[in-house]
Amino acid sequence: MSGYCAIAPGHPFHGPYHEREHGFPTTDEAVLFERLMLEVNQAGLSWLVVLRKRQAFNAAFHGFDVDKVAALGPDDVERLMQDAGIVRNRLKIEAAIHNARVIQGLRASHGGFAAWIAAHHPLTKAEWVKLFRRTFRFTGGEIVGEFLMSIGYLPLAHAEDCPVDHELAALGQPWRKAVADGFVY
């Protein structure tokens, strides 16, 4: 991801995401859900397109409130298909609703999305991809890998010489803890 570290600083969209979010651990359900769904929507597009549409995604999907998105129905899907501010892809919209319902279930089985992720950590990227494909919709290898890097569960979010990487090292990202305990990615 060192290429991202080279182009992001100073960019109006990439810069703030790179410096304050990418690779930073979080347990906030809405943030985790947003990150997953932004990665889903990035499939086939550029990350810049998604970042530019981020505000519209947040409005369309109720701030990524899991319960509100899980309650959306067929009429809402049709409404969202007409929203030019977001990526108008029926499979991606339906994946958001389905995945919100899955996260509701993870509350009962694991105490929430963050706890579910933590309960399976550490895994290799290939193992994570298998788990996500069994659990969620529209979660291929690139989507899962980028999502997990974005929340600190897989390495390489930043180049080693990136100042943000030094900041993240002090936060103790989950992947760094696993490596310190002998796990090999």
Side-chain angles (χ1 to χ4, degrees):
M1 196 65 158
S2 61
Y4 195 57
C5 296
I7 66 157
H11 189 277
F13 291 96
H14 290 301
Y17 179 76
H18 170 265
E19 294 164 14
R20 294 191 293 267
E21 296 180 75
H22 191 60
F24 285 77
T26 183
T27 58
D28 183 284
E29 182 178 79
V31 172
L32 291 169
F33 182 44
E34 177 195 28
R35 295 268 182 90
L36 179 61
M37 294 322 304
L38 291 179
E39 292 296 345
V40 164
N41 279 279
Q42 187 271 334
L45 303 170
S46 76
W47 188 237
L48 182 56
V49 167
V50 172
L51 289 176
R52 284 183 172 152
K53 293 180 173 280
R54 190 176 191 184
Q55 187 174 359
F57 275 117
N58 271 282
F61 290 99
H62 308 287
F64 289 95
D65 178 295
V66 168
D67 295 322
K68 289 179 181 177
V69 176
L72 298 178
D75 290 343
D76 298 299
V77 172
E78 294 309 317
R79 176 183 50 79
L80 290 168
M81 287 295 295
Q82 302 307 311
D83 186 341
I86 66 169
V87 174
R88 293 178 289 183
N89 178 305
R90 185 174 305 277
L91 293 175
K92 292 177 180 183
I93 292 168
E94 290 174 348
I97 297 166
H98 172 82
N99 292 344
R101 293 173 182 163
V102 168
I103 292 170
Q104 286 179 316
L106 295 178
R107 291 176 187 158
S109 66
H110 288 81
F113 192 16
W116 178 82
I117 294 168
H120 291 93
H121 177 70
L123 296 174
T124 64
K125 180 181 173 184
E127 292 167 329
W128 279 117
V129 171
K130 286 180 187 176
L131 176 65
F132 269 75
R133 281 186 172 159
R134 283 194 315 262
T135 310
F136 295 100
R137 280 195 191 153
F138 219 107
T139 50
E142 190 69 20
I143 291 165
V144 172
E146 291 295 327
F147 167 68
L148 291 167
M149 275 195 297
S150 82
I151 62 168
Y153 274 86
L154 284 178
L156 305 176
H158 294 273
E160 288 182 21
D161 63 346
C162 177
V164 179
D165 191 62
H166 299 290
E167 181 180 349
L168 290 171
L171 293 178
Q173 294 163 293
W175 76 265
R176 291 179 197 268
K177 291 177 183 175
V179 168
D181 290 340
F183 188 79
V184 178
Y185 285 96

